[in-house]
Amino acid sequence: MPSSALAATPESPSLARTAHVLGSECAWWEIGPSAGDARATVVLVHGFRGTHHGLLPVVERLPNVRFLAPDLPGFGESRPLASGHTLDDYSAWLEAFLHEVDPNGAAIVLGHSFGSLVIARRPTAIGDRRLVLVNPIAAPALEGQQAILTKLAIFYYWLGSKLPESAGRVLLSHPLITRVMSEVMAKTTSKPLRAWIHAEHERHFSDFSDRDTLLAAFRASVSDSVLAHAHELPASTALIAGALDDIAPLEAQLELARLAELPLHVIAGTGHLVHYETPIAAARLLSEFIDGNSTPDDPERSR
């Protein structure tokens, strides 16, 4: 299990950077070789309540790839957006961020969970960049079997925003709540790995700027689905799913792949935390995608 420190070796340095994007200060990290020496450049878009740290286990397995890893507005070290935190706001922010760090449009854009929604909301804004969606939110959260749990979660975040400041922050950051969420998402039977995952969530799951931003971001995370944009996704998109994912169920992933006519790579024995539980498999799939070997015609990898 890697530490939560930045993925950097003497051959793969990590540089902390800041940029002003849509009037908000954004913290991001450049990890790996220089653009001229890298196999490829990949921009990482992390999930809800996460930070750029979450995807570092995959980064560490690809030292010859250049990664640009921002904290989304309102999370980690990035400041909130003045315009708000709807899904459209996050999508507009991503478009502006890509224009800032990758003006030539050569980078691959990888989004995990909520990050997949930010990308899929307006895929045309991404330009001609290739996309990788990991544990994409394929099904609408306010419909089907997840609807009741989603509404309870909305109430939880609303209550946290309405309580007095100290009480609301305690509720939203309480270790017990974090542990329950972590237990739901983790599917590994390895006790050391589960312990490490829980520690990572405890360390980074409450790195949000304020309660109102957190509520708005959660509402954004359940306001749409990648499935609704299946026909807009470019053909140069690959999907990676966990077979045991409760948040983005496999059945919905299969339907997304069918409608979008895209390759779906299913990793057995893992759920919504592909980047934590099976980073080697995720890195291998990303490496194949970089090399152009991830196609719908590959019978060994596509479903």
Side-chain angles (χ1 to χ4, degrees):
M1 285 79 70
S3 71
S4 63
L6 292 177
T9 66
E11 296 79 26
S12 178
S14 174
L15 302 174
R17 302 186 181 277
T18 58
H20 287 275
V21 182
L22 298 185
S24 174
E25 186 174 280
C26 167
W28 62 282
W29 286 259
E30 182 176 2
I31 307 167
S34 65
D37 296 330
R39 233 172 110 200
T41 296
V42 179
V43 176
L44 303 174
V45 188
H46 65 74
F48 175 69
R49 287 194 72 156
T51 69
H52 72 283
H53 292 90
L55 292 164
L56 292 184
V58 178
V59 170
E60 291 176 342
R61 269 74 183 186
L62 294 169
N64 55 356
V65 175
R66 175 175 175 252
F67 289 92
L68 310 181
D71 285 341
L72 288 177
F75 295 93
E77 297 182 30
S78 291
R79 303 304 304 156
L81 292 169
S83 59
H85 298 86
T86 67
L87 196 52
D88 284 330
D89 290 323
Y90 277 108
S91 179
W93 172 87
L94 178 59
E95 180 181 4
F97 178 75
L98 290 173
H99 181 73
E100 174 78 17
V101 303
D102 183 47
N104 296 326
I108 294 168
V109 184
L110 181 151
H112 172 255
S113 189
F114 176 54
S116 72
L117 281 178
V118 175
I119 293 170
R121 182 70 169 191
R122 293 190 304 166
T124 55
I126 305 298
D128 296 328
R129 297 175 178 88
R130 295 196 290 162
L131 309 178
V132 179
L133 306 183
V134 182
N135 298 116
I137 305 300
L142 290 169
E143 299 177 13
Q145 297 179 351
Q146 301 291 330
I148 294 178
L149 291 177
T150 299
K151 290 175 181 178
L152 286 174
I154 291 174
F155 175 74
Y156 162 73
Y157 285 109
W158 173 85
L159 181 62
S161 72
K162 296 303 180 184
L163 288 172
E165 173 68 28
S166 58
R169 191 85 190 194
V170 167
L171 175 65
L172 294 171
S173 304
H174 198 284
L176 178 60
I177 299 294
T178 298
R179 183 58 176 267
V180 169
M181 293 180 181
S182 188
E183 290 284 0
V184 168
M185 290 188 287
K187 299 300 180 183
T188 179
T189 58
S190 167
K191 291 183 179 180
L193 180 55
R194 289 185 78 90
W196 178 80
I197 289 171
H198 298 330
E200 288 296 286
H201 282 145
E202 185 174 348
R203 187 175 292 115
H204 300 297
F205 211 57
S206 296
D207 287 348
F208 55 89
S209 62
D210 61 89
R211 299 175 298 157
D212 290 337
T213 295
L214 183 63
L215 172 62
F218 181 74
R219 284 176 168 162
S221 74
V222 299
S223 66
D224 201 358
S225 71
V226 178
L227 186 67
H229 304 276
H231 296 297
E232 303 170 53
L233 296 173
S236 56
T237 301
L239 310 173
I240 299 175
L244 305 179
D245 195 338
D246 292 325
I247 295 175
L250 182 56
E251 182 180 0
Q253 306 286 358
L254 292 167
E255 179 66 6
L256 171 62
R258 184 185 68 82
L259 288 179
E261 298 182 335
L262 293 173
L264 170 64
H265 308 278
V266 181
I267 301 178
T270 191
H272 201 64
L273 304 176
V274 161
H275 55 303
Y276 277 166
E277 296 188 317
T278 54
I280 295 174
R284 176 176 55 79
L285 290 171
L286 178 56
S287 179
E288 292 177 357
F289 183 76
I290 290 171
D291 292 338
N293 296 329
S294 176
T295 69
D297 297 324
D298 184 347
E300 294 299 320
R301 308 234 180 258
S302 301
R303 299 289 189 273

